Amino acid sequence: MTLTAGTAQGPRTEGETPPPQEAIVPAGSGSGPDGREGSPTGDPGPEPHPGQQAVAARAALRRRYWASVPARLRLLRAATVLLAAAVAVLLTVAGLAANGMWDGVAGRDAPRTTSAADLDLALNDMDAQAANILLSSGDAGKGRLRTPYEKAVGFYGDARREIGHDLRTLAVAAQGNGSDEKTVENLTDDFAEYQELIGRALENDGRPGGKPSALADYRRATDLLQSSLLPASRRLVSSNDSVFDAKYTAARSALSGQLAATVALGVLLLAALGALQWYLTRRFRRILNPPLLAATVCALLAVILGAQMLSSSAANLRGARRDAFDSVVALSRARAIAYDANADESRYLLDPQRRDQYARAFLAKSQELYGVKGATLSSYDSELATTWQAYESDHHDLRFTGEFRRELDNITFPGERAAAEKTVDAYVVYQGDDRKIRALLAAGKESEAVEFCMGWQPGTSNAHFGAWMAALDKVTGINRAHFTASVDAGRSAVTGLLPWAGGLLAVAVALTALGLRPRLAEFR
């Protein structure tokens, strides 16, 4: 058979496949004469729309991180690790903040407040002992009441040293607070003037016939105390206590927020572990992955321990501040007021010209301690007995006010109520002694009144005052002990639970990786 030139094919038999033919490119198609795609002139054509680019990018990410089984496992593993790390970081930051909070509470906030309260007490005590020295010294030693005088001299020196220590402590504590710095500076200057006046009074008292001059100097000193020193010291008590209270409120709020965040992240972590377990069960037809189950248990325990650490810190902080320290402040104020009232009795006997003034001051301080509405010195005892008897019959029947009421409203710890009630019982006895002193003086028995006021024998006013202060100190001691116990428990909660929570989270991460390793190996 002759083949014709340019002919590509001959007759086809049935079923024979025709040979491929050259593709015909229509005019205006996307390939130019130089072989490049696009227009015949070589233009690349229109750019894709930004929305199309975003869709393409999401599709690419999906193919990379989710489309395949290994990608899904790696993504769930990464989510688990990140959530575990977030919980660990949150608990670590919260634990460090809690430790700092306890250091501040025990080492700064509470001591500042108690130092200010101790200053208030020591100022009152120093002035009371100065009055007692003048009252018991006689005339240049003649007719001196030896035991009351020697005790007064000793207590006076103790109070003066305590004031110096408290002023130094408060000066350090006030740094950075302009108002408190100025208050401490003024207190220091006024105290120097006060000491000079008292020193002059004691010097004049040592000379025969010098009692009137000594009394004049003492009046100026005690006026300075009442007008400047005591108000300033009480402002410091309130200022430092307010700072402590503000820090307490902020710390409680922070702990609440950290607890909520820990629970939320913990729920997400457990959900991620649960999703991973579910996916493995569904994809690989396994009922459970033991390492992953163990990781879930570890994560759950870590979240529980972390939440317990934060909730325990909040509870112990409330116990330290509200249950214990609020009572410590009230009782410290009560003690300072008691010393001031006791000094008013000595001033009353020492200075006949001011007896009415000091009697009114004693009643005012009695009302600050145990307030009975409308009571006078003549009616106070009967009102005190009636209202206290009502309380003893029904602890909800509180018809009185004052610092003792504040303490009885905040009874929290075992033995605290009984100790507080004994304090008021001792206070009732002391108030009876005051009326006896005034009655002896009214009957012209001044020397007997002075001996009963300043004596230390059983049954005298000073002995009863000492019993009252011992009862008051016992209540304060109960609250101080529980304050310390709450601080220690708060620190222990952090140091005891935080390492366990962190360790369990690390184990959970390791077990998650261990549980996924065989499954990922199947795709290599």
Side-chain angles (χ1 to χ4, degrees):
M1 180 173 61
T2 304
L3 296 177
T4 306
T7 304
Q9 61 183 14
R12 288 178 297 169
T13 60
E14 184 177 357
E16 185 179 352
T17 305
Q21 298 183 6
E22 184 180 353
I24 300 174
V25 180
S29 68
S31 180
D34 58 357
R36 292 181 299 171
E37 288 191 359
S39 65
T41 59
D43 293 335
E47 291 291 333
H49 191 274
Q52 294 174 334
Q53 291 179 339
V55 171
R58 285 196 296 271
L61 288 173
R62 184 177 181 277
R63 286 193 300 271
R64 181 175 181 181
Y65 294 110
W66 189 251
S68 65
V69 171
R72 293 171 188 170
L73 293 177
R74 292 189 186 99
L75 182 61
L76 289 171
R77 181 182 63 184
T80 301
V81 171
L82 287 174
L83 286 169
V87 175
V89 169
L90 175 60
L91 290 178
T92 300
V93 171
L96 293 174
N99 271 333
M101 172 194 73
W102 289 120
D103 289 342
V105 166
R108 182 183 60 250
D109 299 327
R112 286 178 178 180
T113 305
T114 54
S115 290
D118 289 344
L119 175 63
D120 190 17
L121 170 62
L123 287 168
N124 283 312
D125 191 23
M126 184 175 173
D127 198 66
Q129 300 310 325
N132 289 339
I133 290 171
L134 296 175
L135 192 59
S136 61
S137 63
D139 184 8
K142 185 178 180 181
R144 175 177 294 170
L145 302 175
R146 183 168 301 277
T147 298
Y149 178 82
E150 290 175 353
K151 283 186 173 290
V153 169
F155 292 148
Y156 174 87
D158 292 342
R160 184 171 60 181
R161 286 188 290 274
E162 177 65 23
I163 292 168
H165 173 268
D166 291 335
L167 284 173
R168 289 191 296 272
T169 301
L170 291 168
V172 173
Q175 291 177 358
N177 185 321
S179 176
D180 284 357
E181 285 181 347
K182 185 65 176 177
T183 299
V184 174
E185 182 181 343
N186 291 338
L187 263 169
T188 304
D189 293 341
D190 289 340
F191 181 61
E193 182 181 353
Y194 172 83
Q195 286 190 96
E196 182 180 352
L197 290 168
I198 290 293
R200 246 185 345 212
L202 297 179
E203 182 182 355
N204 287 329
D205 189 57
R207 295 197 298 266
K211 188 72 74 178
S213 297
L215 182 56
D217 290 325
Y218 177 75
R219 282 176 182 165
R220 288 194 290 273
T222 197
D223 287 345
L224 177 63
L225 177 82
Q226 297 294 334
S227 64
S228 297
L229 289 165
L230 291 182
S233 67
R234 287 163 187 169
R235 282 197 303 273
L236 285 176
V237 175
S238 298
S239 173
N240 284 287
D241 192 42
S242 296
V243 169
F244 186 7
D245 201 52
K247 291 183 178 179
Y248 160 79
T249 302
R252 287 270 296 180
S253 177
L255 286 168
S256 297
Q258 290 162 353
L259 177 59
T262 298
V263 171
L265 286 174
V267 169
L268 290 175
L269 174 59
L270 294 172
L273 287 166
L276 191 53
Q277 185 75 260
W278 172 83
Y279 183 73
L280 289 174
T281 301
R282 179 174 174 271
R283 180 65 181 80
F284 293 93
R285 303 293 189 270
R286 307 277 179 95
I287 296 176
L288 287 175
N289 183 302
L292 201 57
L293 179 61
T296 304
V297 173
C298 288
L300 177 61
L301 289 175
V303 172
I304 291 173
L305 290 177
Q308 184 180 350
M309 178 193 77
L310 295 171
S311 60
S312 177
S313 294
N316 283 309
L317 180 59
R318 189 189 188 287
R321 171 66 219 197
R322 289 286 175 257
D323 296 340
F325 198 74
D326 279 359
S327 290
V328 170
V329 173
L331 294 167
S332 297
R333 284 172 173 158
R335 205 171 195 275
I337 294 167
Y339 270 79
D340 200 8
N342 192 48
D344 279 330
E345 284 186 333
S346 298
R347 296 171 189 135
Y348 178 85
L349 293 171
L350 178 66
D351 193 348
Q353 296 181 16
R354 291 189 172 187
R355 278 178 181 164
D356 288 342
Q357 173 185 331
Y358 291 137
R360 290 193 300 271
F362 182 88
L363 176 61
K365 287 153 195 170
S366 299
Q367 293 280 33
E368 288 183 64
L369 293 168
Y370 188 108
V372 182
K373 187 176 181 180
T376 62
L377 270 178
S378 58
S379 66
Y380 185 85
D381 287 349
S382 61
E383 294 290 340
L384 171 59
T386 299
T387 55
W388 186 239
Q389 185 178 5
Y391 167 80
E392 289 180 317
S393 301
D394 179 7
H395 289 161
H396 297 289
D397 190 348
L398 293 159
R399 307 180 193 177
F400 53 93
T401 59
E403 300 298 340
F404 290 140
R405 168 68 183 271
R406 286 183 62 188
E407 164 57 16
L408 290 168
D409 282 342
N410 196 38
I411 298 296
T412 311
F413 308 114
E416 185 179 5
R417 184 179 297 279
E421 290 175 355
K422 286 182 181 179
T423 301
V424 181
D425 289 338
Y427 172 75
V428 172
V429 174
Y430 174 77
Q431 285 288 330
D433 289 347
D434 177 76
R435 307 305 178 266
K436 182 177 180 179
I437 291 169
R438 298 179 197 281
L440 287 171
L441 193 62
K445 302 176 180 179
E446 184 173 349
S447 60
E448 292 181 30
V450 171
E451 289 176 4
F452 179 75
C453 176
M454 301 196 62
W456 289 93
Q457 298 82 6
T460 60
S461 179
N462 267 344
H464 290 155
F465 181 78
W468 175 28
M469 291 300 99
L472 187 62
D473 289 344
K474 185 175 180 180
V475 190
T476 307
I478 290 172
N479 284 279
R480 285 185 186 273
H482 281 279
F483 173 82
T484 302
S486 294
V487 172
D488 291 342
R491 283 175 168 157
S492 296
V494 176
T495 57
L497 297 177
L498 181 58
W500 280 102
L504 286 168
L505 287 168
V507 171
V509 170
L511 287 171
T512 300
L514 181 64
L516 292 179
R517 185 176 180 181
R519 305 287 77 81
L520 289 171
E522 297 176 10
F523 296 90
R524 290 174 185 168

